[in-house]
Amino acid sequence: MCKEGQYYENYDRIKEIWGPDNMNPSMRIKLITALFSFCSYQLTAQDVCLSSEEKRLYDLIMQYRKSKKIKAIPYSAKLTRVAQAHVRDLAVNFDYENRGDCNPHSWSSKGNWSDCCYTADHSKAACMWNKPKEIAGYEGEGYEIAYYSSGGASATEGLDGWKKSPGHNPLLINSGNWSKMEWKAIGIGIYEQYGVVWFGEIEDSSKIKSCN
């Protein structure tokens, strides 16, 4: 299976060089086939890294929790793998402006995971909860907050929006319905217009690694 980060790195390079409008269908098929042939190994925790903006979001969340006298959440490479896979799936396959009833917790059918249209009634909650195990082998369930910005996602804008949201802020500071949960792992993903954070109750002993 293709290494997640490598797949998207190569895919982005293809788009940068040729552009989606300049690549004829036969060339696209050849490039994608070559890309998957080149990728032959599974992503491990050691392969996951945070971009500078993702690291900034992690730091801002921990500063916010500290201001509320709440302890920091240990970083998780496994949950970050899920987060980074999801923001890329959203950027490539989710049409925010024409999303219908599906919100950004949805997953496409174009990856090694179960797909779903996640709706406001949370009837597909298991689709979210199970993603860390499906994608990264994380033993616990995962809980996600997500944000979209047409101008491009950023750490500061994302956190500011979540702090003002009655549905998102409680996850950040373990209040309300989330007051009895103790987060022992957190994953971060920011890509193009999307930013997501994943929370889990099972510790992941991985260490933060910044992308070069």
Side-chain angles (χ1 to χ4, degrees):
M1 177 183 174
C2 179
K3 174 183 172 185
E4 192 77 44
Q6 185 177 3
Y7 170 82
Y8 286 112
E9 179 182 349
N10 284 313
Y11 181 75
D12 292 342
R13 183 62 58 83
I14 289 170
K15 289 200 300 180
E16 179 182 331
I17 296 174
W18 275 275
D21 298 328
N22 299 325
M23 192 187 304
N24 64 58
S26 62
M27 178 62 74
R28 187 188 302 274
I29 292 171
K30 289 178 182 178
L31 286 169
I32 296 298
T33 301
L35 187 156
F36 275 100
S37 298
F38 178 77
C39 299
S40 61
Y41 53 95
Q42 187 80 15
L43 179 68
T44 65
Q46 288 73 28
D47 296 314
V48 178
C49 63
L50 291 179
S51 69
S52 58
E53 197 65 16
E54 290 167 339
K55 178 61 166 56
R56 176 170 172 74
L57 178 55
Y58 175 84
D59 291 340
L60 288 174
I61 292 173
M62 296 312 118
Q63 290 170 17
Y64 179 45
R65 287 176 64 87
K66 184 177 181 180
S67 73
K68 300 291 185 179
K69 302 187 184 323
I70 307 170
K71 66 182 180 181
I73 309 170
Y75 165 79
S76 167
K78 289 181 178 179
L79 291 185
T80 293
R81 179 184 171 190
V82 179
Q84 292 178 348
H86 197 199
V87 288
R88 285 161 174 77
D89 181 48
L90 290 169
V92 175
N93 300 307
F94 187 76
D95 185 352
Y96 188 86
E97 302 301 332
N98 299 287
R99 61 190 181 279
D101 293 331
C102 306
N103 65 38
H105 295 308
S106 302
W107 290 77
S108 78
S109 60
K110 299 179 181 179
N112 189 30
W113 50 68
S114 59
D115 62 291
C116 67
C117 168
Y118 199 105
T119 52
D121 61 4
H122 303 291
S123 63
K124 300 290 186 180
C127 180
M128 176 198 296
W129 299 340
N130 295 335
K131 281 298 173 292
K133 189 169 187 178
E134 286 182 23
I135 295 173
Y138 181 76
E139 291 303 319
E141 294 180 337
Y143 308 91
E144 179 190 52
I145 57 176
Y147 122 90
Y148 167 86
S149 174
S150 59
S154 72
T156 300
E157 183 182 49
L159 182 58
D160 286 347
W162 287 324
K163 287 164 66 175
K164 297 173 184 175
S165 168
H168 297 91
N169 189 58
L171 280 86
L172 291 168
I173 57 174
N174 295 103
S175 64
N177 293 335
W178 303 93
S179 60
K180 295 183 179 180
M181 308 283 273
E182 182 181 357
W183 302 139
K184 295 184 179 179
I186 187 171
I188 309 288
I190 296 177
Y191 184 75
E192 295 189 356
Q193 299 96 347
Y194 294 92
V196 304
V197 178
W198 283 76
F199 303 91
E201 295 182 280
I202 304 297
E203 187 175 354
D204 177 1
S205 60
S206 54
K207 303 297 183 184
I208 290 179
K209 178 181 176 182
S210 297
C211 302
N212 294 326

